[in-house]
Amino acid sequence: MDIGNSLEEYNKFAATVGDASEVRRVASFFVVIGDVGCGKTAFLHRCVSLLRDVLGPDAVVLLNLSHEARFGVEARVQVDHVARRVVDLAASEGNFSSQDQERLDRKAEDPHQMFPFLADLLHRSGQHGVVILPPVEVAETLRIYANLARPGLTFFVETSNIDLTREAHLLNTVARLSLHRLTPLRMSDGWRFIEARLGAQPAPIRIRREAAVEYMRTRIRGQGQISIRELELTCRHVYADAMARAASEIDFSDFQNYYIRRGVLR
C-alpha cells in the first residue's frame, strides 16, 4: 500500500537488491529509519519477502532477532548476546551437520569469528542468511553490526532514533549499505489506507471520505504528525464501535468520540 513514502522506499530497495547472484556475492546492510509507529517493521518484512522471491524460499535461512533488544547495556554486550542467539537459532533450524554446528557453537562468544564462519557454512550449503537484528538506538551498535556483515549474509536493522541518519551515512564498512527513511503520513494517506482495508471488513459500513480527510487534518494539526500504527488502531476501534451499534456509516464524529474516550483530538 502506498502510504507515506513506503512504496518509494520499497522500490528503491528492490532496485538495490539486484538478482540472486548479486545478493549472494555482496555483503548487504539495510537500515530502516523512522519515528515510532511509522511502519518500519512492516516495511522491513516486505523487503525480506522480496529477498525470498529473488533467492527462492528454500535458499533463505531467516534468523529473526528483532525481539532480542536489551536496552541499557553496552553496545558490545548487546552484540555478543545477538551472536549467541544467532547460533541458537541456526541450531534450531537444523541446516548444518552436527560437526559444523559444533564448530559454530565454539565461535558463539566472538561475533567477529562467528558471522564469517556462518556465512561460509551457508555458502557451502547453497543457502543465504537473512538476519533481522534487534532495533538499534545508539551509533556504536550500528557501527559494530555494519562491520560484521559478510557475503552470504544480509543484515536488516531498524531504528527510531532519527539522529542516527547522519551516523549511518558516515559508516565505514565493506558492506553495501542502504538507508531507508520512512516519513510521517500525509493527509491523503488516511483515505488511501481506509479504502484499501474496507474490502476485508465483514460488514458493509460506509466511511465518508470527508471524515477521513478531516480526521487526518485534525490529528496532524494537533500533534504535527500521525503514525501508521495510530491510524490503524484508530480505524480498527472506530469500525468495531460502528459494528456494535449496527451503524451504516462512519463520520468525523465517530473519530471524535473515540478520542473523547481515549484521549484528546485537537
Side-chain angles (χ1 to χ4, degrees):
M1 194 189 309
D2 183 11
I3 295 291
N5 69 330
S6 60
L7 183 59
E8 176 185 339
E9 287 299 312
Y10 176 76
N11 289 337
K12 171 184 167 184
F13 171 81
T16 301
V17 165
D19 59 17
S21 62
E22 184 175 359
V23 173
R24 293 177 182 278
R25 180 178 57 83
V26 179
S28 297
F29 186 47
F30 295 97
V31 182
V32 184
I33 302 174
D35 291 314
V36 173
C38 74
K40 296 186 298 297
T41 302
F43 175 83
L44 187 153
H45 282 281
R46 187 181 182 191
C47 293
V48 171
S49 179
L50 177 64
L51 274 185
R52 284 182 179 274
D53 291 340
V54 169
L55 293 167
D58 295 335
V60 171
V61 176
L62 178 61
L63 302 167
N64 188 352
L65 283 296
S66 59
H67 300 296
E68 295 289 336
R70 304 176 74 195
F71 300 106
V73 300
E74 293 182 3
R76 293 190 180 279
V77 173
Q78 167 71 10
V79 174
D80 288 348
H81 169 74
V82 166
R84 288 190 291 270
R85 291 292 295 126
V86 165
V87 172
D88 292 341
L89 288 177
S92 67
E93 289 289 328
N95 291 313
F96 307 130
S97 68
S98 58
Q99 182 180 9
D100 284 338
Q101 186 63 50
E102 288 176 7
R103 295 172 66 194
L104 187 64
D105 291 343
R106 289 196 294 270
K107 300 178 186 299
E109 301 301 318
D110 185 352
H112 294 279
Q113 290 191 40
M114 187 280 291
F115 279 106
F117 185 66
L118 174 63
D120 291 342
L121 289 180
L122 291 167
H123 176 73
R124 200 167 67 203
S125 63
Q127 296 176 305
H128 185 86
V130 175
V131 183
I132 304 178
L133 297 162
V136 167
E137 297 303 327
V138 297
E140 177 64 10
T141 311
L142 195 67
R143 185 189 66 78
I144 295 174
Y145 283 143
N147 283 284
L148 290 172
R150 293 291 186 278
L153 296 173
T154 297
F155 283 0
F156 288 91
V157 69
E158 65 178 72
T159 179
S160 298
N161 185 352
I162 306 302
D163 292 338
L164 288 185
T165 304
R166 181 176 179 276
E167 299 287 347
H169 276 295
L170 296 176
L171 282 174
N172 183 19
T173 173
V174 297
R176 173 177 59 180
L177 177 67
S178 183
L179 272 59
H180 299 276
R181 173 76 184 274
L182 299 187
T183 59
L185 300 187
R186 304 168 298 235
M187 197 176 300
S188 59
D189 288 327
W191 177 249
R192 185 176 290 112
F193 176 84
I194 289 171
E195 192 174 35
R197 289 288 190 266
L198 282 179
Q201 302 305 322
I205 300 177
R206 179 173 179 264
I207 301 179
R208 297 178 59 199
R209 181 172 186 149
E210 297 80 4
V213 172
E214 182 61 24
Y215 164 67
M216 294 295 287
R217 179 185 296 116
T218 305
R219 204 68 188 129
I220 291 171
R221 184 173 63 232
Q223 63 183 27
Q225 64 183 48
I226 180 173
S227 70
I228 184 66
R229 181 183 300 169
E230 181 184 350
L231 176 61
E232 183 168 14
L233 288 175
T234 301
C235 290
R236 186 185 304 168
H237 285 292
V238 168
Y239 197 92
D241 289 344
M243 286 189 63
R245 294 185 285 105
S248 60
E249 185 174 272
I250 292 173
D251 61 24
F252 180 61
S253 65
D254 295 302
F255 289 100
Q256 284 181 308
N257 291 335
Y258 170 77
Y259 279 97
I260 288 172
R261 294 192 301 273
R262 292 171 173 79
V264 179
L265 179 63
R266 62 176 183 270

